[in-house]
Amino acid sequence: RKEAAAEAARHYLEHRGITTESQEQFFIGYAPDRWSWLIERARGANIPLEHLEQTGLITRSESSGRPLARFRGRVIFPIHDLQRRPIAFGGRVLPEIAKRQEQETGRPPAKYINSPETRLFSKSDVLYALDVARDEIVKRRRIVVMEGYTDVIMAWQYGVRTATAVLRTALNDRHIRLIRRFAESVVLVLDGDEAGRRRANEVLDLFVGSDLDLRILTLPDALDPCDFLQARGGPALQAAIDSAVDSLDHKLQTELAGFDPLKETHRASQAAENVLATLAHAPRLTLTATAARLREQQLIGRMART
């Protein structure tokens, strides 16, 4: 419905380029900027407040103990399980509301928040939009992992239908177990900044000893996927995903960037040591599986070429 209270949210989504079709596909909504809005509706529907508290939709005032809506003034991104059942929510505060809330409280609100962990929801066991992308992921045997809700939504909107996102956390071994159920290859899409390069190094340890093929796509010019898509389009992003480099090659490229290894042998040796340190932190490969032996040979070959 076209609620007047949600006009600012509709304007924000339009400004971000998120279409009405995408809003419907991902069930995007809005929580009005009132502490009691959700509470009043829960009471009208005979929903006990403790249920809202258990699911993280309301919290309690530290001073008075009264119930407060956690997501007030935010665009809402529902988080679903694989059966498309809502199990949690993410919320992005609207810019103009963020200013008003900062004036009220004396501190700026967090730009994004998620539901707290509950019996239904653990952020380490969920990838945003996996329920939407699952069929295409299974078809291609490849999953694309991004870092934000809007990145995934825009990717879907531009025809990249294998995109998912982590939920304000780093990829971990529980995510890997989830991914392995549907895909053999993972493309991690990172912003083209220093923080993105650090995250690539952090997740490499998890994948070196696994049977998943990890590839890293670092976007140019410090662009995030939303900006890249709007500037260059879906086919350009898909082409970049298709040509993403193997994670160890990405590590080597990063370590060797900015100097000539043939002339600066000390720096080249240090780069090789850094790669070896990464490999040393990875789980030991078993030699009983053909895939594991092949992976070990590939790693040794790449190190030899360094």
Side-chain angles (χ1 to χ4, degrees):
R1 293 183 297 169
K2 299 294 184 180
E3 297 282 355
E7 182 60 31
R10 287 192 292 271
H11 177 75
Y12 169 79
L13 293 169
E14 181 181 356
H15 175 72
R16 292 299 303 268
I18 297 175
T19 65
T20 301
E21 181 186 7
S22 294
Q23 294 172 39
E24 293 174 352
Q25 173 68 32
F26 292 91
F27 299 98
I28 300 172
Y30 175 67
D33 188 25
R34 287 174 47 205
W35 288 118
S36 61
W37 182 86
L38 179 62
I39 295 165
E40 292 168 358
R41 276 147 186 79
R43 285 173 173 156
N46 294 318
I47 298 174
L49 292 188
E50 54 263 32
H51 289 183
L52 299 185
E53 196 166 4
Q54 289 167 359
T55 55
L57 288 171
I58 65 171
T59 184
R60 295 278 176 176
S61 168
E62 294 181 1
S63 58
S64 66
R66 70 187 179 95
L68 305 171
R70 181 185 299 273
F71 291 99
R72 72 182 183 103
R74 293 177 181 271
V75 175
I76 301 298
F77 301 90
I79 299 163
H80 297 88
D81 65 12
L82 289 172
Q83 287 72 47
R84 303 222 75 185
R85 298 173 298 192
I87 56 172
F89 300 91
R92 203 283 189 199
V93 69
L94 292 175
E96 59 267 38
I97 291 177
K99 294 178 182 179
R100 186 162 65 246
Q101 291 181 2
E102 182 174 4
Q103 293 173 349
E104 293 174 358
T105 64
R107 62 180 185 277
K111 182 183 291 187
Y112 285 97
I113 61 172
N114 281 337
S115 296
E117 304 227 338
T118 67
R119 293 174 63 185
L120 294 175
F121 170 64
S122 171
K123 60 186 177 182
S124 293
D125 294 316
V126 177
L127 290 171
Y128 177 72
L130 181 57
D131 57 301
V132 175
R134 176 175 57 179
D135 290 347
E136 191 67 19
I137 290 168
V138 170
K139 177 181 175 181
R140 293 175 175 263
R141 302 303 298 165
R142 181 171 68 189
I143 186 171
V144 176
V145 180
M146 299 179 173
E147 297 189 283
Y149 311 119
T150 54
D151 293 331
V152 170
I153 293 166
M154 292 297 287
W156 182 89
Q157 191 169 299
Y158 277 82
V160 180
R161 299 295 173 89
T162 56
T164 64
V166 289
L167 296 169
R168 320 307 293 178
T169 187
L171 270 174
N172 56 54
D173 55 352
R174 286 152 67 182
H175 288 128
I176 291 176
R177 288 196 293 272
L178 175 63
I179 289 168
R180 191 181 284 115
R181 293 169 54 188
F182 307 104
E184 298 168 354
S185 176
V186 182
V187 179
L188 182 61
V189 181
L190 298 171
D191 298 354
D193 55 14
E194 180 59 33
R197 288 189 287 272
R198 286 198 304 270
R199 287 190 290 277
N201 288 333
E202 290 167 0
V203 301
L204 177 56
D205 290 353
L206 293 170
F207 283 87
V208 167
S210 78
D211 55 358
L212 286 169
D213 173 30
L214 174 65
R215 297 184 175 272
I216 305 291
L217 171 58
T218 301
L219 295 174
D221 304 322
L223 294 173
D224 63 24
C226 273
D227 293 336
F228 184 94
L229 283 162
Q230 290 177 325
R232 307 189 187 188
L237 180 61
Q238 187 63 63
I241 290 170
D242 292 340
S243 61
V245 299
D246 176 89
S247 56
L248 187 61
D249 286 337
H250 183 275
K251 172 73 173 179
L252 292 172
Q253 290 173 14
T254 301
E255 292 291 342
L256 296 174
F259 71 97
D260 184 346
L262 296 178
K263 295 180 180 179
E264 299 183 57
T265 56
H266 176 73
R267 290 183 67 180
S269 296
Q270 184 61 55
E273 289 179 10
N274 290 342
V275 175
L276 286 170
T278 295
L279 298 180
H281 284 94
R284 188 175 181 83
L285 293 172
T286 64
L287 297 179
T288 56
T290 301
R293 288 200 302 271
L294 178 60
R295 179 62 172 157
E296 185 179 65
Q297 292 166 3
Q298 290 172 338
L299 298 182
I300 293 171
R302 290 194 185 101
M303 285 303 302
R305 292 195 297 272
T306 303

